[in-house]
DNA sequence: GTATATGCAAAGTCTTTGCATCGTT
DNA sequence: AACGATGCAAAGACTTTGCATATAC
């Protein structure tokens, strides 16, 4: 189901602004701040208000279509929602942010539940270091 | 070595304000925001300026005596620096924040290096969920 | 046509900074 | 006495909100 349909199903409207934010995020090579999204949207069409970008992101977040991540620079960054979305490797050299693939999150959950009785719900792992290429 | 000595060794001065911030953090039961530290300091003596709290925290951070953590509520929280300081379990029921004990961070490092060639430097793991008592 | 979304500007929250004064060394 | 630290108020960065206007349905 596409976003337009999803929005309408939930009682919201599809607008050019929302479509643009969504398109930018889908084509993004990295995790973008609201302002970066704003810049990219504005490159394509006449200015869209920053407040509308924030409102759109909040809405898409509510619908679990996008997710905000904090990678340590204290600004919100946004990406499409997906299963591994809370697990980020940030290279301090090239700046690239990769999503972790694999079962590490499951390992962490099992470890915490078994060893500490802690029932993990949201696991947010951000690792800064050097990626394979930059080492 | 105590903080006063450490400060002076690095060319800084010990002041009542700095001592108070340090004392509050040592006695803290949880991870405090700058404002919470300010409140606790102010309970003990006449008002200390919030800006001085921030400046003191920045200084102690530089000296690796305290550390800022982001636990998801988007405000900086502060704790004494210690080996496991980047690994936090936050209970969504009682709000308690516990530090993880054990070798999980090492496991994560090994996993990332072995499977992905990623050399982890700083590992920040924040897990929200239910602690043993609240389950 | 009606209710929702946008633009604009103002306000809000947390944090930092400039500058005169105060206090530690 | 000298230089670093504090208090105060103002500014900064990022994000949210109120309200009139525009627009999707």
């Amino acid at each position: 189901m596409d976003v337009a349909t999803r929005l309408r199903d939930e009682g919201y409207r599809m607008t050019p602004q929302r479509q643009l934010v969504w398109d930018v995020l889908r084509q993004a090579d990295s995790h973008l701040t609201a302002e970066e999204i704003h810049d990219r949207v504005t490159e394509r069409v006449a200015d869209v208000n920053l407040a509308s970008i924030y409102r759109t992101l909040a809405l898409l977040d509510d619908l679990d279509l996008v997710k905000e991540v904090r990678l340590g620079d204290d600004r919100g960054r946004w990406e499409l929602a997906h299963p591994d979305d809370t697990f980020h490797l940030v290279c301090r050299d090239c700046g690239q942010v990769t999503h972790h693939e694999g079962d590490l999150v499951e390992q962490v959950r099992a470890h915490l539940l078994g060893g500490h009785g802690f029932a993990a719900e949201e696991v947010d792992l951000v690792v800064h270091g050097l990626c394979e290429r930059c080492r």
Side-chain angles (χ1 to χ4, degrees), chain A:
Chain A
M1 181 172 15
D2 67 347
V3 207
T5 312
R6 179 73 197 286
L7 282 172
R8 282 188 280 260
D9 281 0
E10 306 272 350
Y12 301 103
R13 296 171 181 177
M14 178 47 99
T15 66
Q17 291 88 338
R18 288 175 177 170
Q19 186 67 57
L20 282 159
V21 169
W22 180 251
D23 290 345
V24 163
L25 279 173
R26 276 196 313 176
Q27 293 160 26
D29 49 313
S30 64
H31 302 69
L32 305 177
T33 64
E35 205 157 353
E36 287 165 348
I37 295 169
H38 177 247
D39 290 345
R40 298 200 185 185
V41 163
T42 301
E43 273 169 23
R44 305 185 180 192
V45 295
D47 186 49
V48 169
N49 197 273
L50 225 203
S52 298
I53 306 282
Y54 277 106
R55 279 188 284 229
T56 295
L57 290 170
L59 174 61
L60 296 177
D61 192 19
D62 276 355
L63 301 181
D64 290 319
L65 294 170
V66 303
K67 191 161 187 341
E68 185 179 17
V69 290
R70 299 264 165 180
L71 299 179
D73 58 356
D74 292 2
R75 342 178 39 183
R77 294 185 169 271
W78 297 85
E79 63 183 354
L80 298 187
H82 60 84
D84 280 322
D85 55 2
T86 55
F87 200 158
H88 296 92
L89 307 179
V90 184
C91 179
R92 75 157 150 76
D93 213 49
C94 65
Q96 198 187 50
V97 180
T98 53
H99 290 135
H100 180 265
E101 311 280 328
D103 58 355
L104 187 46
V105 171
E106 287 319 312
Q107 265 179 248
V108 169
R109 280 181 201 279
H111 179 106
L112 292 178
L113 190 60
H116 304 77
F118 191 94
E121 287 165 358
E122 219 180 303
V123 178
D124 282 297
L125 178 52
V126 177
V127 181
H128 292 260
L130 282 179
C131 72
E132 186 151 30
R133 229 179 21 204
C134 291
R135 281 203 298 141

